[in-house]
Amino acid sequence: MRKVTTIVAAFVIVLLVGYFSIRLYTDMKLNGVKEKVIENNPGISKVENINSKNHWGEWFSEYILVVEMNGLKYRIWTSDEGEITDKEAL
């Protein structure tokens, strides 16, 4: 019984470490893109929301942000480098 408990506990620990590692990487990546967008586009005063359009393991990433630009809200699409590829007024 003790051996089974040890194996289950080790499995749970491995799963938790994996989950939090992926979560940390994703948050760091989104914050990096957010900073690059603000840095490359001085007209943006506030980023309200950011999401990744792509799935795990895809080579080219695209991000969708809701931003405030010149007092108006826009939905913008950007690359990893923070370059706006498209925008839409909300």
Side-chain angles (χ1 to χ4, degrees):
M1 184 68 172
R2 184 177 174 116
K3 188 175 184 179
V4 172
T5 305
T6 305
I7 291 171
V8 170
F11 183 70
V12 169
I13 290 171
V14 168
L15 285 177
L16 287 174
V17 168
Y19 171 78
F20 286 114
S21 296
I22 291 169
R23 180 75 181 186
L24 179 65
Y25 172 78
T26 303
D27 289 346
M28 287 175 45
K29 184 75 171 174
L30 291 176
N31 284 334
V33 170
K34 181 179 172 181
E35 290 175 6
K36 288 178 185 177
V37 166
I38 292 172
E39 190 177 291
N40 293 340
N41 304 287
I44 295 176
S45 57
K46 181 179 172 185
V47 175
E48 293 185 5
N49 193 3
I50 181 170
N51 285 310
S52 176
K53 182 179 175 186
N54 298 47
H55 299 286
W56 183 261
E58 289 186 348
W59 184 257
F60 296 102
S61 296
E62 186 175 29
Y63 300 89
I64 302 169
L65 294 86
V66 175
V67 299
E68 188 172 311
M69 193 182 319
N70 302 325
L72 300 172
K73 286 188 182 181
Y74 290 93
R75 178 175 291 124
I76 61 170
W77 287 262
T78 67
S79 63
D80 281 339
E81 293 79 33
E83 299 170 2
I84 296 175
T85 56
D86 197 10
K87 72 178 179 180
E88 170 184 77
L90 296 179

